[in-house]
Amino acid sequence: MQEQPYVVIMAGGIGSRFWPYSRHERPKQFLDILSTGRTLLQMTYDRFLKISTPEMFFVVTNKNYEHIVREQLPEVPESQILTEPLRRNTATCVAYASYKIASRNRNAKVIVTPADHLILKEDNFLDKISKALKAAEVNNNLITIGIRPNRPETGYGYIQYLINEKSVAKKVKTFTEKPNAKLAKTFVDSGDFVWNSGMFVWKVDSIIAAFEKYMPEVAEVFEEGEQHYFSSSEGDFINRAYTLVKNISIDFGIMEKSDEVYVVLGDFGWSDLGSWMSLHEIKEKDESENVIEANALVYDTEGCFVKAPKDKLVVVQGLKNYLINDSDNVLLICELDAEKKFREFVSDAKQKGEDFV
């Protein structure tokens, strides 16, 4: 029987592009955004429970959200909820989890996943994960999951791979962060690019070897934690460690530099649910392409997203491609595709008072 993989769920983001529904005190991964009765974090956990067991899960989150993770995933051992004292991006998040897992099992295989993605075809997805786990057994291969693109999306990163390879895991040639529309179209038309899902599979030894080679300063910090992991001194060690490392993504820090990166291609109804626009795309709509999650009267309006408490009547007239969101003490009305403005919205709202963010 194949040994169960560890599953590392990255759940530390602040979800600012879903403001004001997503707030600093409870970001989108802890919300039931899809109205399923389960939060995005819980849905991610449920998905991987089909191939692993609760004691194999690690959740990395900001220290401010530890209580929410415990509340939503009580089955995960408390020692495996890893709390970050500072926001240091995904490379540090992966390093912390990897070195802690290695202190327990140096031969482990690990799946790393964001907490807030949608996957519609879960059986298909788990088949790809199984193939990725097998590919990760070879040498020091680092496997990423790529999504076959169906449009020239500018909000995702792209991975180029060797198209003539017959193996399930394709050798990666290049990574490109969010391209402009013209370049995105070129990528999609070429046939050898996929979207970067931000999901990874590898042996823990492989990723540690990569840290030692490409991010030795991070490796040095976290390998010193071996005597602290799973002990009462771990918190103090991590508080010190996070002041010694820089803010950098795992893609930029390792994946773009390594020549041992492979991609497994997938087409399983994936969305990173990164914005109101991406949520609008997958939600049920009326005959005018409106998503209505409110007690609303809508006239001469199309392509809008209306979300408000049911005890408030919302009347909308004459709008096209707008977001109307009434959440607690904030009413937001903006263009549906204005996600690049959200950082400004949140920053300016904070000037009005902490209660608004």
Side-chain angles (χ1 to χ4, degrees):
M1 183 177 176
Q2 186 178 16
E3 185 180 351
Q4 289 180 336
Y6 284 90
V7 180
V8 175
I9 302 177
M10 300 182 290
I14 58 175
S16 60
R17 286 183 295 170
F18 271 105
W19 181 82
Y21 182 46
S22 171
R23 302 291 184 100
H24 279 313
E25 64 179 27
R26 190 171 286 259
K28 69 168 181 173
Q29 63 267 28
F30 305 120
L31 301 174
D32 181 12
I33 280 184
L34 299 172
S35 304
T36 64
R38 299 284 278 175
T39 67
L40 295 179
L41 172 64
Q42 290 171 322
M43 290 178 70
T44 302
Y45 173 75
D46 295 344
R47 187 177 305 133
F48 286 99
L49 264 186
K50 296 176 181 177
I51 59 170
S52 207
T53 48
E55 65 272 12
M56 304 298 285
F57 282 76
F58 283 71
V59 181
V60 189
T61 192
N62 186 272
K63 63 180 181 181
N64 295 326
Y65 308 142
E66 179 182 10
H67 68 287
I68 307 178
V69 175
R70 289 187 180 187
E71 167 193 308
Q72 295 193 357
L73 298 181
E75 307 91 339
V76 174
E78 288 188 8
S79 64
Q80 290 168 211
I81 299 173
L82 313 188
T83 57
E84 298 183 293
L86 302 167
R87 299 189 191 280
R88 286 291 184 265
N89 216 314
T90 53
T92 305
C93 163
V94 169
Y96 181 10
S98 299
Y99 279 89
K100 184 163 181 174
I101 290 170
S103 74
R104 173 179 284 177
N105 181 358
R106 193 79 190 199
N107 299 314
K109 280 189 282 189
V110 182
I111 300 164
V112 179
T113 180
D116 51 5
H117 289 184
L118 169 70
I119 290 169
L120 295 173
K121 304 173 186 174
E122 291 200 352
D123 289 343
N124 186 329
F125 168 72
L126 293 174
D127 176 65
K128 298 301 182 184
I129 290 292
S130 176
K131 288 179 168 62
L133 286 165
K134 190 167 185 179
E137 294 174 358
V138 180
N139 301 322
N140 278 333
N141 285 359
L142 305 175
I143 312 299
T144 185
I145 307 297
I147 312 299
R148 296 184 190 275
N150 56 21
R151 64 184 185 280
E153 172 63 55
T154 59
Y156 297 153
Y158 284 74
I159 300 170
Q160 184 184 28
Y161 62 93
L162 291 176
I163 202 165
N164 59 346
E165 287 195 4
K166 293 191 171 85
S167 59
V168 171
K170 316 289 186 185
K171 181 81 170 177
V172 169
K173 291 172 65 178
T174 63
F175 285 82
T176 304
E177 279 304 306
K178 303 171 181 177
N180 60 38
K182 183 178 179 181
L183 191 55
K185 186 177 187 308
T186 301
F187 287 170
V188 173
D189 291 345
S190 72
D192 60 346
F193 283 82
V194 288
W195 291 333
N196 184 355
S197 73
M199 290 182 277
F200 310 101
V201 180
W202 42 52
K203 299 190 300 262
V204 73
D205 254 357
S206 300
I207 192 60
I208 285 177
F211 273 111
E212 290 171 349
K213 183 174 182 179
Y214 301 108
M215 300 186 74
E217 69 288 352
V218 172
E220 184 178 354
V221 168
F222 283 97
E223 68 187 7
E224 290 179 2
E226 185 167 2
Q227 61 183 312
H228 301 288
Y229 299 130
F230 296 102
S231 79
S232 59
S233 62
E234 180 175 340
D236 289 339
F237 166 73
I238 289 299
N239 286 340
R240 292 194 306 273
Y242 268 65
T243 66
L244 302 175
V245 293
K246 56 188 177 182
N247 186 327
I248 187 170
S249 71
I250 191 71
D251 286 312
F252 188 74
I254 289 179
M255 304 301 280
E256 295 181 19
K257 297 173 182 175
S258 174
D259 59 0
E260 297 175 293
V261 179
Y262 292 78
V263 60
V264 170
L265 312 184
D267 184 7
F268 35 73
W270 172 89
S271 171
D272 76 340
L273 295 178
S275 66
W276 286 104
M277 185 77 172
S278 62
L279 186 58
H280 180 272
E281 288 175 1
I282 60 141
K283 286 278 190 175
E284 186 176 340
K285 304 172 187 66
D286 66 16
E287 63 278 3
S288 298
E289 294 296 301
N290 298 306
V291 174
I292 307 295
E293 296 185 348
N295 185 8
L297 297 174
V298 178
Y299 307 90
D300 309 317
T301 292
E302 58 182 276
C304 289
F305 197 138
V306 183
K307 184 176 180 64
K310 298 294 185 183
D311 61 356
K312 181 176 291 187
L313 178 64
V314 181
V315 183
V316 183
Q317 188 274 327
L319 292 184
K320 183 176 182 179
N321 301 328
Y322 261 73
L323 167 68
I324 301 100
N325 180 225
D326 187 352
S327 293
D328 296 326
N329 57 353
V330 177
L331 170 63
L332 173 66
I333 303 169
C334 68
E335 293 174 319
L336 185 56
D337 62 355
E339 61 183 84
K340 292 180 180 176
K341 297 285 289 181
F342 270 68
R343 191 179 298 274
E344 182 181 345
F345 292 166
V346 174
S347 176
D348 290 347
K350 190 173 183 179
Q351 301 303 313
K352 294 286 187 180
E354 292 284 347
D355 289 346
F356 298 122
V357 295

